[in-house]
């Protein structure tokens, strides 16, 4: 089984930066992707980014392109989301998740962390 734990959330002013981390433990399988989703109150969970573990290729939703980056540390089974130039609309609970598919659809991700709150003040 896979357990995912997010960290690094907090409160930041618009234009600031945060770095989220997601540590995976337990059984891991390959190939797979690790992604980030976010959910604001009253809204559906939305895709943010994923990274393909095997080659490090990445994909981002349009709203964060140029501002967010995703990376991995293979030795530590950890994925990071570097968020720069944060905007109030980025405020949400951010979740780390894993899948073995090339997908941005939340229901196709199998394992989820508990989430970490990101609040961007204007």
């Amino acid at each position: 089984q896979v357990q995912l734990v997010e960290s690094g959330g907090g409160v930041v002013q618009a234009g600031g930066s945060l770095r989220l981390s997601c540590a995976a433990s337990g059984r891991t399988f390959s190939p797979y992707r690790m992604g980030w989703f976010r959910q604001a109150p009253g809204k559906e969970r939305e895709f943010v980014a994923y990274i393909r573990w095997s080659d490090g290729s990445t994909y981002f939703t349009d709203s964060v392109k140029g501002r967010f980056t995703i990376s991995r540390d293979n030795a530590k089974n950890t994925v990071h989301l570097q968020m720069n130039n944060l905007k109030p609309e980025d405020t949400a609970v951010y979740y780390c998740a894993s899948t073995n598919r090339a997908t941005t659809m939340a229901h196709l991700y199998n394992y989820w962390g508990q989430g970490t709150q990101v609040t961007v003040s204007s």
Side-chain angles (χ1 to χ4, degrees):
Q1 313 308 307
V2 175
Q3 296 82 44
L4 305 176
V5 179
E6 303 96 336
S7 62
V11 180
V12 65
Q13 290 186 322
S17 298
L18 284 173
R19 182 177 174 85
L20 306 183
S21 298
C22 174
S25 61
R27 183 184 299 174
T28 59
F29 15 66
S30 181
Y32 66 97
R33 292 167 172 79
M34 295 185 68
W36 289 94
F37 291 77
R38 63 188 182 186
Q39 188 165 21
K43 300 183 67 176
E44 292 187 352
R45 188 168 300 185
E46 66 172 342
F47 169 80
V48 177
Y50 71 58
I51 185 166
R52 188 183 184 192
W53 209 258
S54 60
D55 63 4
S57 61
T58 60
Y59 183 74
F60 300 88
T61 192
D62 286 345
S63 64
V64 307
K65 286 181 179 177
R67 300 189 297 120
F68 291 10
T69 59
I70 186 170
S71 61
R72 74 203 195 292
D73 185 332
N74 291 8
K76 297 181 178 180
N77 285 335
T78 299
V79 63
H80 304 282
L81 184 70
Q82 178 67 45
M83 305 184 295
N84 298 322
N85 192 24
L86 283 161
K87 303 176 180 180
E89 52 263 43
D90 296 318
T91 295
V93 177
Y94 282 70
Y95 298 91
C96 178
S98 67
T99 183
N100 59 2
R101 303 191 185 195
T103 182
T104 64
M105 303 181 70
H107 72 276
L108 296 179
Y109 282 69
N110 304 114
Y111 300 99
W112 293 83
Q114 295 300 305
T116 186
Q117 177 71 48
V118 172
T119 301
V120 184
S121 61
S122 60

